[in-house]
Every structure is written in C-alpha cells, then in structure tokens.
Amino acid sequence: MSKDYPIPAGFLERETEIKKSRFIARVAPVSSRDEVKAWLEQARNDHPDARHICWAYQIGRPGAAAEAAMNDDGEPSGTAGKPILSVIQHKDLGDVLVMVIRYFGGIKLGAGGLVRAYAGATEAVLSGVERVIQQPMSQVTVTMTFADEQPLRHWCDQNGAEIGNVGYSAGVTADVSLVDERNQEFTAFCESRGMGYRFDS
C-alpha cells in the first residue's frame, strides 16, 4: 500500500553508552503487528543476554496513527516505552518501530536517567535513518494484443510504473502499478493503442 507520509527507508542501528549501560537502538519500517513481532523476535535472537528490550511503534499517518503500542520490558513503568513513543511522535514518522536493547552496566540510572537514556537512544537512531515518502499508487488491469506487450513494458520503464502478473490466453492481460499523477498519461497511452484498461478501486 502506498504512503504519502514519511516512513523509515530501512533498518538502522545505533549504540550509546551511559554509565556503563549499553543502549542499542534499532529502527525498522513496519506495517502490521506481525512485522513488529518478527523484528522483536530477531532482536531477542541477536541479543539473548540483554537485560531489557524495550520498544514502541506506530502504524499509520503521524499524528493520526491507526495503531500504536509500547513496552517497558521490565524497566520501571513509563521510563522506557513511553519516552521511545514520544520521540517517534515528535519525529513525525509513520509505520515505524523502535527497539532499544539494554545491557545493564551495574550503575542504576534512576527514573529520570532512564527516561533520558531511552529518549536519547531513540533520538540518535531516528536522526540517522533516511525517510521515504511513497506517492499514492493506482493499480490497473490492462488487456491487449501480443503486439502491445513490448510497447507497454517500454512505457512502464520510462515512467516508473511496474508490471506485476501477466497472463496469456487469446490476448495478454497485465497488472500495472503506477503513481497517481501518471494516470492521465497512462490512459492516453492505452487509448492510443486501443488497449483495454480498468483501474482497480
């Protein structure tokens, strides 16, 4: 599904050390709770000896997220998940998960220190990650003759559109994804060649 708001471009990890405790912050793009679970499982596999793996995520448009959650994972209530989520919300990012993996260094930080540490680790990783905005996309089903397939592929290559499933029978059927702002041009191209097209709602 296309997004017209900023999301993380990919996975990134940053590490900070505060009073001998290691805070390893990870950011990843997520679009479902299942993806969140998979990333958390990965973090636990990578760091089986960590004292805490605290996290927060929001899915959907920043400021109006469809879903958000956080977890202190054994840290005092409100000292980990909440500051992570606060920084995420402040950064105006959607579809984002931040996990902060903590190795305890033997010196207690106190509630205020923990809040600052988790917020700081989140800030560091979110400041480093690149953002992408995916433009709204249209899905089109095209029906054509065999002779039209190559011109269609050429048009898609030139205009950043993608061809998905292609079916062959008496003619050719293809699923095409393109950014909304190219819809008029694509319609004109199809009509100029007598190709059938249907925009999927």
Side-chain angles (χ1 to χ4, degrees), residues 46-127:
D46 293 347
H47 296 279
D49 301 329
R51 173 74 71 94
H52 307 281
I53 298 179
C54 306
W55 52 268
Y57 72 86
Q58 70 175 8
I59 293 172
R61 182 178 299 283
E67 190 182 330
M70 57 193 172
N71 192 309
D72 294 314
D73 192 34
E75 292 282 30
S77 179
T79 61
K82 194 174 181 185
I84 294 170
L85 185 60
S86 295
V87 175
I88 289 173
Q89 290 168 336
H90 181 68
K91 286 290 187 183
D92 199 34
L93 265 178
D95 296 1
V96 57
L97 164 69
V98 174
M99 303 158 279
V100 181
I101 299 145
R102 182 187 181 195
Y103 284 89
F104 182 55
I107 300 169
K108 292 194 171 180
L109 302 181
L114 285 172
V115 168
R116 284 191 295 278
Y118 281 102
T122 305
E123 172 74 36
V125 79
L126 288 181
S127 295

Side-chain angles (χ1 to χ4, degrees), residues 1-9 28-32 35 57-67 88-89 91-97 130-137:
M1 198 173 68
S2 62
K3 321 283 182 193
D4 58 355
Y5 51 85
I7 66 172
V30 290
S31 55
S32 70
E35 287 182 27
Y57 72 86
Q58 70 175 8
I59 293 172
R61 182 178 299 283
E67 190 182 330
I88 289 173
Q89 290 168 336
K91 286 290 187 183
D92 199 34
L93 265 178
D95 296 1
V96 57
L97 164 69
E130 285 187 29
R131 299 159 163 245
V132 288
I133 296 176
Q134 296 172 313
Q135 294 171 296
M137 303 283 285

